[in-house]
Amino acid sequence: MSKDAIDRRAFLKGAAVTAAAAIGTRMAANSEAAAQTMTNESGAKEAARPGEKIIARPGSDFMVDVIKATGIDYIASNPGSSFRSLQESIVNYGGNKKPEFLTCMHEESSVAMAHGYAKAAGKPMGILAHGTVGLQHAAMAVYNAWCDRVPVMIFAGNFIDADKRRPGVEWYHCVQDPAGILRDFTKWDDQPASLQHFAESVIRGYKLATTPPMEPVVITADGYLQEAAIQNEKKLHIPKLTRAIPPQGDSGALAEAAKMLVGAERPVILADRACRSQEGMKRLVELAEAINAPVIDIGGRMNFPTTHYLCRSGDRRALVGEADVALLLEVADPWGQFNTISDPHHEYRRQAKTDVKIIHISLSETLTKSNYQDMQRFMPVDLAIFGDAESTLSPLTEAVKSATNIARRTALAAHTDKLRNDHQRMKERARNNASQGWDTAPVTTARLAAEMWQVIKKEKWCAAGRQDWARSLWPATEYYNFNGGSGGAGVGYTAPAAVGAALANRDKGIITVDIQPDGDLMYAPGVLWTAAHHKIPILMLMHNNRAYHQEVMHLQKMAALHNRRMDTASVGTVIENPNIDFAKLAQAQGVWAEGQISDPAKIGPALARAVAVVKKGEPALVDVVCQGR
Ligand SMILES: Cc1ncc(C[n+]2csc(CCOP(=O)(O)OP(=O)(O)O)c2C)c(N)n1
Ligand SMILES: [Mg+2]
């Protein structure tokens, strides 16, 4: 028997005593009560006398070895008995390091944290969900991650063998097909029937989740497999994890695309979930410069420096409207870039020339789920190149360079002055728009973003919350600066995803800031406690408009359409009477906080105090009463 196993046996024998010494009498009393309860529920008397029937090497230990083999650093989870053995193994056998267990207060928070983390860390986090109920809570956040093409390793506890289930609650929480509820919006799932099967499925799942287009994957950790002793351990092996190299677009197709781009008079590049790294951004800069084409960063990822003269994200309507050739890079909604359906009359409008030539480099054709409609409206294009955008950028740039003769190069370079002026004009317009109502109370959203900028401009920073003003006002040159959006627009994403990003950024010396909508935080505010407990430094600046403001606007629009009174638009949409005191909400969970600020002059000093807390490694929240959106 290994030394570990002996240690664990000794621990079990003296459980109550050890627990009393280590974690205080309250926990010791609880663990005695728990032992008693287990005896009562299961009727297995021997379990009440620790030491008599020991399982020194449970299957869940091997499961931890498997999870460690993937390199997952964290498991975000709300605890549940369907994975109690795996949780115990993570902590006692695995030493609660790589992976470390993160205590979450809602499964939606676990998944959204993993979502934000994956984009900031460049690798997935694991989450553990408790059978039926845990997966039901997780579902919307999984959908957001699916829509955003982000990998999450979802582990679920479940007892598949009815002969082993304890009566009562365990039946309510077990399910014949755990992943079924998520199958429409996950890439793959499996319910392994043996430990060897678990090892192969986790490695296969990790590989699938992290191969573009990246998506969440679900693997069930069967409860009985977790708790029962490992049989024939020598026969078990963990397969090697080799990541698949993402595909580059076909070279012939790239030559054709290059010809179209080089010959264009008004080319435009639209990048969405295109880049995954600083290197990807650098490649997009090289391509854009080779064609001297303006770039619209749609914002699914950080694709292009906002300081570059070819950055024209704020001029999408005008540039798409005049374009003769458009290059799309993993754009989630291609149809919506060139067409629209008006609101509220649902009438079709074209926003581009009818003969604009469209090239799309994308892997979206590999996603073939039918039920959910995240594929967006079908868009006929002139050249559909199947390939990973980031990996295809460099060969496309090479093709562009070889398709450009000296005369053409000179002609393209002649556009530079105008392009620089247009970029400056876009910036000035954003600054002018931002200065409207600068000193008004409630505070404008632009003022909020500007105040935040003042306290982070000398830091390495990541904006993980609401990013609209920041994207047009803040000079951003690094991939880690912006963490993209929710994917599926399921509200409740922003706060936990920002905390997940902050965790990924913690050891890189990057300060994570979150302009945080009030309605979003109230879905699952317990993520503040998770940030405090795990010492995750994040600066939350509340965009507290005391409303589900987008819905206020929708109701106003409907009242206008129906020619009826508008003042009732607040019914069911405002969060007033009583007003929520977000500073107290945060303080109650151990987070440093100040609020409820309505004087814009007071935001800066409060943020300066908050940043000092964040720099010490802890979360901080500043609540500001703001205008609409
Ligand atoms: C889960 C979910 N429920 C409802 C909605 C509809 N919805 C869209 S925006 C919004 C308001 C969100 O309020 P808040 O986060 O405070 O942002 P605000 O609009 O006030 O800026 C709601 C409820 C949604 N997108 N997702
Ligand atoms: Mg709001």
Side-chain angles (χ1 to χ4, degrees), residues 271-522:
D272 196 2
R273 298 198 180 99
C275 292
R276 293 187 286 277
S277 63
Q278 192 71 31
E279 174 62 24
M281 285 177 67
K282 189 175 137 245
R283 291 180 194 169
L284 181 51
V285 168
E286 282 164 7
L287 174 68
E289 287 176 353
I291 321 165
N292 226 358
V295 176
I296 294 154
D297 188 346
I298 297 171
R301 301 288 185 272
M302 175 68 185
N303 294 299
F304 203 71
T306 62
T307 50
H308 195 284
Y309 76 96
L310 289 172
C311 173
R312 299 283 298 286
S313 306
D315 287 332
R316 188 182 71 82
R317 280 288 283 277
L319 290 170
V320 168
E322 67 187 27
D324 57 350
V325 178
L327 170 66
L328 276 57
L329 300 169
E330 203 58 72
V331 171
D333 178 13
W335 191 88
Q337 308 308 318
F338 302 92
N339 308 277
T340 195
I341 299 289
S342 71
D343 190 16
H345 293 291
H346 301 271
E347 285 160 355
Y348 170 75
R349 271 183 213 149
R350 177 78 179 170
Q351 294 182 319
K353 290 186 174 164
T354 47
D355 60 350
V356 56
K357 295 269 174 280
I358 302 169
I359 307 160
H360 196 184
I361 302 177
S362 169
L363 288 172
S364 59
E365 265 79 30
T366 50
L367 296 169
T368 53
K369 305 276 177 141
S370 313
N371 191 19
Y372 288 82
Q373 301 292 298
D374 57 297
M375 74 288 284
Q376 299 286 337
R377 192 158 179 175
F378 183 71
M379 178 68 190
V381 300
D382 299 278
L383 187 53
I385 300 180
F386 182 77
D388 174 57
E390 179 167 298
S391 311
T392 304
L393 285 169
S394 290
L396 178 57
T397 306
E398 286 314 308
V400 161
K401 284 182 179 161
S402 33
T404 316
N405 60 25
I406 293 174
R408 190 63 193 147
R409 200 169 304 141
T410 315
L412 291 175
H415 297 159
T416 304
D417 284 349
K418 178 178 182 311
L419 287 163
R420 282 187 194 283
N421 288 340
D422 289 344
H423 170 79
Q424 282 311 328
R425 249 202 305 278
M426 178 189 78
K427 291 270 163 200
E428 260 159 49
R429 197 179 60 230
R431 277 194 293 271
N432 277 342
N433 290 345
S435 66
Q436 310 286 320
W438 187 249
D439 289 317
T440 52
V443 176
T444 67
T445 49
R447 176 81 188 254
L448 208 60
E451 294 291 343
M452 181 70 105
W453 176 246
Q454 287 311 314
V455 293
I456 57 159
K457 64 185 180 192
K458 296 206 176 87
E459 313 288 343
K460 283 167 84 175
W461 56 271
C462 166
R466 198 162 256 179
Q467 292 152 38
D468 24 22
W469 274 114
R471 278 200 177 251
S472 53
L473 295 176
W474 298 1
T477 55
E478 309 303 312
Y479 184 72
Y480 58 71
N481 285 155
F482 291 119
N483 208 35
S486 65
V491 180
Y493 159 89
T494 307
V499 171
L503 176 63
N505 290 334
R506 182 170 66 182
D507 301 329
K508 300 184 201 156
I510 299 167
I511 292 195
T512 306
V513 297
D514 165 20
I515 294 186
Q516 174 57 48
D518 54 339
D520 179 277
L521 180 58
M522 288 307 292

Side-chain angles (χ1 to χ4, degrees), residues 241-256:
L241 170 63
T242 312
R243 302 276 299 279
I245 310 292
Q248 288 184 348
D250 171 79
S251 56
L254 294 183
E256 199 179 329

Side-chain angles (χ1 to χ4, degrees), residues 449-598:
E451 294 291 343
M452 181 70 105
W453 176 246
Q454 287 311 314
V455 293
I456 57 159
K457 64 185 180 192
K458 296 206 176 87
E459 313 288 343
K460 283 167 84 175
W461 56 271
C462 166
R466 198 162 256 179
Q467 292 152 38
D468 24 22
W469 274 114
R471 278 200 177 251
S472 53
L473 295 176
W474 298 1
T477 55
E478 309 303 312
Y479 184 72
Y480 58 71
N481 285 155
F482 291 119
N483 208 35
S486 65
V491 180
Y493 159 89
T494 307
V499 171
L503 176 63
N505 290 334
R506 182 170 66 182
D507 301 329
K508 300 184 201 156
I510 299 167
I511 292 195
T512 306
V513 297
D514 165 20
I515 294 186
Q516 174 57 48
D518 54 339
D520 179 277
L521 180 58
M522 288 307 292
Y523 278 72
V527 74
L528 290 169
W529 181 88
T530 300
H533 179 74
H534 289 286
K535 300 228 174 310
I536 301 174
I538 179 166
L539 174 49
M540 269 192 199
L541 175 56
M542 291 306 300
H543 172 193
N544 180 9
N545 52 18
R546 293 181 174 158
Y548 300 111
H549 191 78
Q550 181 172 300
E551 304 309 314
V552 176
M553 296 189 292
H554 277 303
L555 285 204
Q556 287 170 339
K557 197 173 268 180
M558 288 302 107
L561 181 69
H562 304 153
N563 197 22
R564 298 195 194 133
R565 56 189 282 204
M566 277 213 210
D567 56 325
T568 50
S570 60
V571 176
T573 57
V574 303
I575 314 175
E576 289 173 349
N577 189 25
N579 296 334
I580 295 167
D581 185 336
F582 283 96
K584 277 193 184 149
L585 177 78
Q587 286 157 355
Q589 298 176 78
V591 173
W592 183 98
E594 283 189 22
Q596 312 173 37
I597 298 172
S598 47

Side-chain angles (χ1 to χ4, degrees), residues 124-127 135 142 145-146 150-156 179 182 185-190 201-211 213-220:
M125 186 195 272
I127 77 110
L135 291 172
V142 179
W146 163 266
V150 166
V152 180
M153 288 297 289
I154 301 161
F155 297 97
L182 306 177
F185 41 90
T186 44
K187 200 174 194 181
W188 187 68
D189 65 80
D190 200 14
S201 291
V202 170
I203 301 299
R204 186 200 296 271
Y206 191 97
K207 189 172 177 185
L208 284 167
T210 55
T211 300
M214 301 187 193
E215 292 293 9
V217 153
V218 189
I219 307 290
T220 305

